[in-house]
Amino acid sequence: MRILGTGGAGYIGSVTTELLLDRGHEVVVFDNLERGHRGAVDRRAQFIEGDLRNRARIDEAILGVRPDAVMHFAAYALVGESMQNPLMYFRNNVVGGEHLLEAMRAAEVQKIVFSSTCATYGQPEKIPMAEDTPQRPTNPYGESKLMFETALRWEQARRG
């Protein structure tokens, strides 16, 4: 399977890339290297430098790669920073994610795995949390990830 991994130069993305390659998948990493590291990308993976906030760049990458699936790890992920600069988080995590979904739609890529966060739940009423635990984020980071989850749900509903 050919997989495009966004944020593949970050910790979770780079480890996932390595595991996928070990299992015989073809992986293309898409990362802007703003917070990831080129050296973290497995040498067996193809690398495309690009930013999801640049719609033309992700369109070009998806159309060029024609992946069977996307694994989306690209996000800002610091709660404190999100409180100091919420718009930066919404621009990167939500708008960048929307660009990814639009590029996937244009290239007819149907499968996506999204790396979300427990920060979408905020302060849970009980532990352990379950899938039906109400999502009430308490910071822009969690809110931005929940907003993208919502966009994914509506995109799935559109497809039927």
Side-chain angles (χ1 to χ4, degrees):
M1 182 177 251
R2 180 179 298 131
I3 299 166
L4 179 83
T6 68
Y11 177 71
I12 296 170
S14 64
V15 170
T16 302
T17 295
E18 182 179 349
L19 292 170
L20 289 166
L21 289 163
D22 288 347
R23 285 163 178 75
H25 298 283
E26 179 184 346
V27 181
V28 178
V29 169
F30 183 89
D31 199 297
N32 65 10
L33 301 178
E34 182 180 348
R35 298 190 177 191
H37 306 279
R38 179 67 178 95
V41 178
D42 192 296
R43 285 182 258 126
R44 298 172 291 169
Q46 179 185 343
F47 178 75
I48 298 172
E49 188 169 349
D51 193 309
L52 291 175
R53 292 167 292 191
N54 180 335
R55 171 70 196 274
R57 187 69 175 131
I58 188 58
D59 279 341
E60 177 187 346
I62 294 258
L63 287 170
V65 171
R66 294 284 182 182
D68 300 304
V70 170
M71 296 187 81
H72 182 35
F73 302 108
Y76 291 151
L78 300 174
V79 171
E81 180 182 64
S82 79
M83 297 295 286
Q84 296 298 315
N85 199 343
L87 292 180
M88 180 176 81
Y89 271 69
F90 291 113
R91 189 175 310 110
N92 190 67
N93 297 357
V94 180
V95 175
E98 289 172 354
H99 288 170
L100 176 62
L101 289 179
E102 290 165 348
M104 289 175 64
R105 182 192 293 180
E108 299 180 353
V109 178
Q110 302 292 315
K111 298 175 184 165
I112 184 169
V113 174
F114 174 53
S115 177
S116 193
T117 175
C118 66
T120 65
Y121 293 99
Q123 299 299 319
E125 295 170 4
K126 66 178 184 171
I127 302 280
M129 294 186 296
E131 285 293 320
D132 62 352
T133 298
Q135 291 178 291
R136 297 185 194 112
T138 58
N139 56 69
Y141 166 59
E143 188 73 43
S144 70
K145 296 290 258 187
L146 181 57
M147 288 174 77
F148 186 71
E149 284 183 19
T150 302
L152 280 172
R153 188 172 56 252
W154 282 106
E155 181 63 13
Q156 179 65 33
R158 180 196 66 79
R159 283 192 252 149

